[in-house]
Amino acid sequence: MRNPDISVARKTKKILPTIGRLLLISTFVEDGIRLLFNTADHASHFSETWGMNYNFAYFLTIVMMFNLLCGSLLVMLRFKVTESCAVLATTIFFQVVLYQLYGTYHLLGRNISILAALLLLVTENMLQKPKKYDPLPKDENDYDVTSVMLCCCRMFLNLMLCSMIHFDMSYRRLLLCVVSYAMMMAVWCGYKTRMISFMLSAWLLAYNIFLNDFWNRAVNSHVIRYDFFQTLSAVGGLLLLIHTGPGELSIDELKKKW
């Protein structure tokens, strides 16, 4: 009997990584374009908030814009992917500090989710490289670095959905929480990872379009647009997870050994 997870991976192995990478970098492209067209406003904000020299704040804004746009372009071209992801991750860190995005758990959780998506992108790039032949037998309790990285990605990637869903006693909200967290638990444990990741990415995409419809909002549309593209990046990470698989530290792989 054919494994449905493997069937999904084979049918989508050519186009899925490209779509995943495109969605993943969408938030960085949007950030870079926003900084490009509002450089002076952001420089003034940094200068007033942190008391820094305006010219230095302007230079800092230009550097962040350059890092976001060039890093995203290199990721799509699949050139120096690890280095580009490191630049993007560093830029995220400075943005969290400069914009003071660490004040609430949902903002911090979303940025951790984006970092997990970048880590997954690095892992996917590592898996594409041919493995070196090792003449020594491998201990079944030893795991590759990529397996540990994939496990971390599974754990933190779903924080985006956690930050969007709030529990209350209404029946619709309760049903939403039960379905969402059930799928997240399956991904965390690495159970039916590819199939559940596909379902979760579709679920998250639909929820994002419904919740963060900035094109219909007149008030705080820039904040909602920021949330929209951040969530798209998490969706891209889930699509990459379909392509890479859960790794050895998962129930899916343990079932094969049994």
Side-chain angles (χ1 to χ4, degrees), residues 7 14 16 33 55 65 76 86 105-106 149 158 162 166 184 187 192 207 219 232 242:
S7 300
K14 293 184 178 180
L16 200 62
I33 294 175
N55 292 329
M65 179 268 296
M76 284 307 301
Y105 80 93
H106 71 277
M149 294 169 67
N158 290 324
C162 292
H166 304 283
M184 283 190 292
V187 173
K192 299 291 183 182
Y207 194 63
V219 180
L232 275 188
I242 299 173

Side-chain angles (χ1 to χ4, degrees), residues 13-253:
K13 66 179 181 180
K14 293 184 178 180
I15 190 173
L16 200 62
T18 302
I19 296 176
R21 284 190 293 271
L22 184 62
L23 292 179
L24 197 153
I25 67 168
S26 62
T27 187
F28 303 109
V29 174
E30 191 272 336
D31 267 355
I33 294 175
R34 181 166 48 86
L35 292 175
L36 176 64
F37 288 100
N38 300 280
T39 307
D41 294 337
H42 289 275
S44 298
H45 173 75
F46 297 149
S47 179
E48 294 172 3
T49 302
W50 295 97
M52 62 179 65
N53 180 271
Y54 177 79
N55 292 329
F56 177 74
Y58 196 92
F59 170 75
L60 189 61
T61 306
I62 292 293
V63 170
M64 286 196 298
M65 179 268 296
F66 180 82
N67 288 344
L68 290 169
L69 294 179
C70 292
S72 301
L73 178 61
L74 292 177
V75 165
M76 284 307 301
L77 295 176
R78 305 196 70 177
F79 179 75
K80 299 290 184 181
V81 175
T82 302
E83 293 81 355
S84 300
C85 289
V87 171
L88 292 175
T90 304
T91 306
I92 290 177
F93 173 79
F94 279 105
Q95 283 187 319
V96 169
V97 174
L98 290 173
Y99 290 107
Q100 297 178 329
L101 300 177
Y102 46 79
T104 57
Y105 80 93
H106 71 277
L107 288 175
L108 186 60
R110 290 184 181 191
N111 283 282
I112 293 175
S113 177
I114 299 301
L115 290 174
L118 286 175
L119 180 62
L120 183 57
L121 189 59
V122 173
T123 309
E124 187 259 347
N125 183 64
M126 293 173 61
L127 291 173
Q128 296 299 318
K129 298 179 181 179
K131 294 183 179 180
K132 296 181 180 179
Y133 174 72
D134 189 358
L136 298 177
K138 180 182 176 181
D139 191 332
E140 62 178 8
N141 294 321
D142 291 340
Y143 299 100
D144 296 333
V145 175
T146 52
S147 297
V148 178
M149 294 169 67
L150 283 171
C151 182
C152 294
C153 292
R154 295 201 321 267
M155 294 298 295
F156 293 109
L157 190 60
N158 290 324
L159 289 179
M160 181 66 69
L161 192 56
C162 292
S163 68
M164 296 175 66
I165 297 176
H166 304 283
F167 178 80
D168 59 37
M169 295 309 296
S170 65
Y171 290 108
R172 292 177 59 184
R173 182 73 69 172
L174 182 61
L175 177 62
L176 179 66
C177 289
V178 170
V179 174
S180 300
Y181 284 114
M183 288 192 291
M184 283 190 292
M185 288 297 295
V187 173
W188 285 339
C189 297
Y191 177 72
K192 299 291 183 182
T193 308
R194 287 189 168 99
M195 182 178 65
I196 299 296
S197 294
F198 178 78
M199 296 169 58
L200 190 56
S201 62
W203 180 267
L204 185 57
L205 181 61
Y207 194 63
N208 185 37
I209 293 174
F210 174 77
L211 186 67
N212 296 322
D213 54 337
F214 64 90
W215 51 89
N216 292 327
R217 306 289 186 94
V219 180
N220 293 329
S221 61
H222 62 287
V223 176
I224 300 172
R225 182 178 62 197
Y226 176 75
D227 290 343
F228 177 84
F229 283 102
Q230 271 207 324
T231 308
L232 275 188
S233 293
V235 173
L238 286 169
L239 294 180
L240 282 178
L241 188 59
I242 299 173
H243 176 65
T244 60
E248 295 180 339
L249 293 171
S250 63
I251 293 179
D252 289 343
E253 292 298 322

